[in-house]
Amino acid sequence: MSIVVQKFGGTSVATAEKIRAAAQRAVNTKRAGHQVVMVVSARGHKTDELVRLAEEVSAKPSTREMDMLLSTGEQEAVALVAMAIHGLGEKAVSLTGGQIGIVTDSTYSKARIRSISNDRIKGHLNAGEIVVACGFQGIDDDFNITTLGRGGSDTTATALAAALEADECEIYTDVEGVFTTDPRAVSAARKVSEISYDEMLELASLGAGVMHSRSIEFAKKFRVPLRVRPSFNNNAGTLISNRSEDRVVTGLAMAKNEARVTLGDLPDQPGVMKTIFTNMSARKIPIDMVIQNVAVSGKAEVTFTVPEGDLAETLTAAEAAVKELGAGFVRSGTHVSKVSAVGSGMLTHSGVAAQMFKSLSDQKINLEMITTSEIKISVLVDRSRCDDALLAVHRGFQLEQSTAVAPAIGAGQVATARASGPENADRLEAVVSRLASMEDIVVSEVLLDETQARVSVHNIPDVPGSCTRIFTAVANGEVVVDMIVQNVSHSGQAQVSMTVPRTQLEHCLKVLKTCIADWSGATITSEPAIAKLSVAGIGLRTHTGVGERLFRALADAGINIQMINTSEIRMSVVVATNQGPQGYAALKQAFHLE
Ligand code: ADP
Ligand code: ASP
Ligand code: MG
């Protein structure tokens, strides 16, 4: 008999009426001949209320007690749902994370799942019962209650679906499905019918609140198709699987409360990145938009973003890194927001970045930082303009329209996909099958790309429109840009670096020369051959240990890093061309992929 997992979010079980509706849905599914496992979140705003209460009784509540407290929200909800099912004449049993046997590590408030024993659930299912499981929680080896992080019930549902080899995992929520961006922020947002794991993973990790990003890691690793559906009608919602709509940009995400941190005046030597990443990883701080400015007068400067809530901890870690490096300063800035565009189509289209920058500069929105990876572009903007930015980019890509529109700038579809395509599915499966713990890091492949050159433009006017001008010129010149990083240094001058095919370098330089002709002080530097090293896998940015291992391996091999880009599915660095093969070997060894 097939197993169906149905997860109900907080708003979908907020009232007695909604609880009965959720129960009815599970009962209908059971009566249609399936075994049903429900995963339920705390009702309504229960978790927020408990957090507030804890903060009222203690300035710094213990994380263990916090998890003990927050887990009660789900416990209340499952009991009520089970009772409602009994009222409808079916058998049901509610179970806590501990009773199910969801074993996690002991990192309170962001615990990771190690294993799930499905014996007990299977027993209940075979006895004809609907199992109503608490989302968001587990127990560690010492029977302490742990929670998986806010929004973690999605992860419980997907993990259970994986462990039980369920046929379907349905995520019932308060919207019609996954939208092109948060429909609460952009009223013209459109529901998408299909989205790929990779796209959803990026969107979720970049701020789309609709799914917990770790749930998508599970879904991809264990090939669980997910369907995000409305709990208030019978519409089909959005299917998250290997497929996606055929669009260049699928969706946008915004992380409103971000902070930027700069470590400057650092020694320009191998190991700088390793020291920074190691210190961040020790505190499980996921850093994003990492930019290393091309070193000036022997000093390196690294800037990155973190969620504002992690800033205090990040600054402590950054000070520790500077101390270890023996020189440098730390500076930070708040009031910034990150807006990201995500789409698998970026792999095969040029001009996407130019289009995004144009939408923003048309609204006179300045770009403080830019980073890209294979399937995403992120920009950092002043928080006062973030809503305008999201709206402008949504309009620019015509995301409200259901028919695909190619970007207006540049050559459109490029003949060949960029050198680095999606990772090999078989290899991924082999790595997943060796996982000791369900949420272990998955790195399935190391790649070396020796086809690229680097170009940097220095002393760019730090005003809206500069990057649009550069990337419009480059896209109109049909140059296929791969990585882009842009940063404003403390002297107020912007600098942008990009990688382009070696074969297009001369042409690109000519285009850029004309483009910057009337910017006084602007200069271009380039390197005709660089090596791009990448590791591919799942959940690479949120599992902070991947960056640490990558940068440690390269530092130990004496390799200096010139550019970085990170995403959940790939982490890439640019190094000198003659160090490519050596770096490749070091990474293969570090990730046991020889
Ligand atoms: P649940 O309690 O069911 O888990 P959440 O509040 O966690 O629900 O997630 C649903 C909410 O996510 C929606 O109400 C919506 O405002 C928000 N959201 C953010 N980004 C998106 C998006 N891209 N598509 C749909 N909803 C989104
Ligand atoms: N109740 C938890 C929260 O509010 C978990 C969840 O809803 O997924 O974060
Ligand atoms: Mg949620």
Side-chain angles (χ1 to χ4, degrees):
M1 202 184 277
S2 67
I3 299 179
V4 176
V5 174
Q6 298 184 329
K7 180 255 170 180
F8 292 84
T11 37
S12 306
V13 288
T15 61
E17 193 190 343
K18 288 184 175 178
I19 289 174
R20 280 196 299 270
Q24 186 68 60
R25 201 180 279 274
V27 165
N28 293 348
T29 308
K30 167 128 200 312
R31 289 180 182 162
H34 305 283
Q35 293 186 323
V36 183
V37 176
M38 294 173 85
V39 174
V40 183
S41 293
R43 296 186 311 116
H45 298 291
K46 189 78 194 180
T47 313
D48 292 329
E49 281 163 26
L50 292 172
V51 169
R52 268 200 304 277
L53 195 56
E55 286 168 354
E56 277 174 35
V57 295
S58 161
K60 202 166 185 285
S62 126
T63 51
R64 181 190 182 279
E65 300 312 326
M66 202 68 187
D67 281 8
M68 180 69 111
L69 175 70
L70 296 191
S71 68
T72 62
E74 270 67 17
Q75 203 171 319
E76 171 195 78
V78 288
L80 291 165
V81 171
M83 290 173 195
I85 297 173
H86 297 158
L88 294 169
E90 287 290 338
K91 292 191 282 182
V93 59
S94 63
L95 297 173
T96 64
Q99 288 172 332
I100 298 164
I102 298 186
V103 179
T104 70
D105 64 19
S106 305
T107 319
Y108 298 116
S109 86
K110 31 181 143 172
R112 288 190 180 273
I113 298 176
R114 288 215 176 117
S115 62
I116 297 179
S117 61
N118 47 26
D119 297 356
R120 181 155 184 186
I121 293 192
K122 285 250 165 95
H124 286 295
L125 291 175
N126 292 337
E129 292 169 311
I130 292 175
V131 172
V132 191
C134 286
F136 176 57
Q137 55 176 264
I139 46 162
D140 72 4
D141 289 335
D142 296 323
F143 304 101
N144 294 300
I145 294 180
T146 54
T147 67
L148 308 181
R150 296 303 306 270
S153 297
D154 298 328
T155 296
T156 307
T158 319
L160 279 175
L164 295 165
E165 297 183 36
D167 296 70
E168 252 181 83
C169 183
E170 301 173 332
I171 308 290
Y172 287 96
T173 185
D174 60 355
V175 279
E176 287 276 358
V178 177
F179 282 65
T180 47
T181 195
D182 190 344
R184 274 188 244 180
V186 175
S187 58
R190 179 180 51 85
K191 193 211 79 171
V192 298
S193 52
E194 282 194 306
I195 190 164
S196 72
Y197 293 129
D198 289 349
E199 291 168 330
M200 194 64 231
L201 189 55
E202 284 306 328
L203 283 171
S205 116
L206 293 167
V210 64
M211 290 294 289
H212 196 229
S213 77
R214 278 161 51 196
S215 69
I216 315 297
E217 288 181 31
F218 266 105
K220 181 173 177 185
K221 265 189 214 173
F222 300 102
R223 304 191 181 193
V224 181
L226 291 178
R227 192 172 277 284
V228 180
R229 297 184 66 176
S231 57
F232 48 87
N233 64 33
N234 282 325
N235 292 346
T238 303
L239 179 67
I240 307 174
S241 72
N242 275 325
R243 297 201 311 252
S244 84
E245 287 184 352
D246 186 21
R247 298 197 54 134
V248 178
V249 173
T250 309
L252 312 180
M254 179 158 82
K256 212 168 196 162
N257 299 318
E258 291 283 291
R260 59 188 279 172
V261 177
T262 300
L263 282 73
D265 274 350
L266 306 170
D268 184 27
Q269 68 199 28
V272 167
M273 279 299 167
K274 177 198 79 176
T275 309
I276 295 175
F277 269 79
T278 305
N279 278 280
M280 298 301 152
S281 166
R283 292 168 174 81
K284 288 210 162 74
I285 301 169
I287 68 179
D288 194 23
M289 297 191 81
V290 189
I291 298 178
Q292 174 155 34
N293 273 6
V294 172
V296 194
S297 60
K299 300 279 186 203
E301 184 174 292
V302 178
T303 302
F304 53 84
T305 59
V306 290
E308 201 171 77
D310 285 335
L311 181 60
E313 185 113 42
T314 306
L315 292 177
T316 311
E319 292 292 354
V322 162
K323 206 163 162 202
E324 231 172 276
L325 289 166
F329 65 80
V330 179
R331 211 189 11 241
S332 64
T334 50
H335 289 287
V336 286
S337 304
K338 177 171 69 181
V339 175
S340 309
V342 172
S344 313
M346 286 185 201
L347 280 168
T348 50
H349 281 77
S350 63
V352 184
Q355 173 61 59
M356 179 164 176
F357 304 154
K358 179 172 188 310
S359 304
L360 293 163
S361 62
D362 283 352
Q363 299 300 316
K364 303 267 182 298
I365 296 169
N366 204 17
L367 308 182
E368 299 190 15
M369 286 166 76
I370 301 168
T371 54
T372 65
S373 79
E374 276 68 13
I375 63 163
K376 73 151 194 244
I377 303 167
S378 295
V379 298
L380 198 70
V381 300
D382 192 88
R383 203 172 296 163
S384 64
R385 302 298 313 274
C386 69
D387 294 322
D388 301 339
L390 190 68
L391 194 61
V393 178
H394 199 273
R395 276 208 196 111
F397 287 120
Q398 303 182 8
L399 291 179
E400 67 286 352
Q401 294 186 18
S402 51
T403 44
V405 191
I409 303 170
Q413 186 101 25
V414 295
T416 46
R418 288 175 193 149
S420 26
E423 76 288 335
N424 180 314
D426 294 341
R427 206 181 321 229
L428 183 63
E429 191 155 30
V431 173
V432 170
S433 70
R434 290 201 303 267
L435 283 184
S437 169
M438 289 187 90
E439 285 200 72
D440 267 1
I441 294 170
V442 172
V443 171
S444 52
E445 220 175 340
V446 177
L447 300 125
L448 170 61
D449 178 354
E450 296 184 295
T451 64
Q452 300 281 302
R454 177 182 61 80
V455 184
S456 301
V457 187
H458 311 261
N459 300 336
I460 301 168
D462 180 25
V463 292
S466 302
C467 276
T468 306
R469 182 150 136 190
I470 291 176
F471 288 100
T472 302
V474 168
N476 284 337
E478 302 194 5
V479 178
V480 185
V481 180
D482 184 9
M483 290 167 72
I484 300 174
V485 298
Q486 183 244 330
N487 192 15
V488 181
S489 77
H490 51 102
S491 55
Q493 293 282 10
Q495 169 182 304
V496 62
S497 295
M498 63 192 102
T499 61
V500 301
R502 291 178 190 175
T503 50
Q504 288 195 305
L505 177 64
E506 281 313 312
H507 172 59
C508 178
L509 290 175
K510 210 182 294 165
V511 167
L512 282 174
K513 223 169 173 176
T514 317
C515 170
I516 68 158
D518 60 349
W519 284 343
S520 70
T523 53
I524 302 171
T525 59
S526 67
E527 206 168 333
I530 47 101
K532 179 179 163 190
L533 289 164
S534 310
V535 298
I538 305 173
L540 302 189
R541 194 177 67 81
T542 32
H543 288 261
T544 52
V546 178
E548 179 187 359
R549 213 187 294 179
L550 179 142
F551 290 111
R552 181 178 299 282
L554 295 177
D556 289 350
I559 296 174
N560 221 352
I561 318 285
Q562 299 182 12
M563 282 169 80
I564 298 166
N565 73 25
T566 62
S567 73
E568 292 297 352
I569 54 170
R570 192 176 296 266
M571 200 170 269
S572 303
V573 296
V574 166
V575 304
T577 185
N578 61 355
Q579 293 188 314
Q582 190 193 347
Y584 178 72
L587 292 180
K588 283 228 150 190
Q589 196 180 11
F591 291 100
H592 311 297
L593 291 168
E594 291 134 296

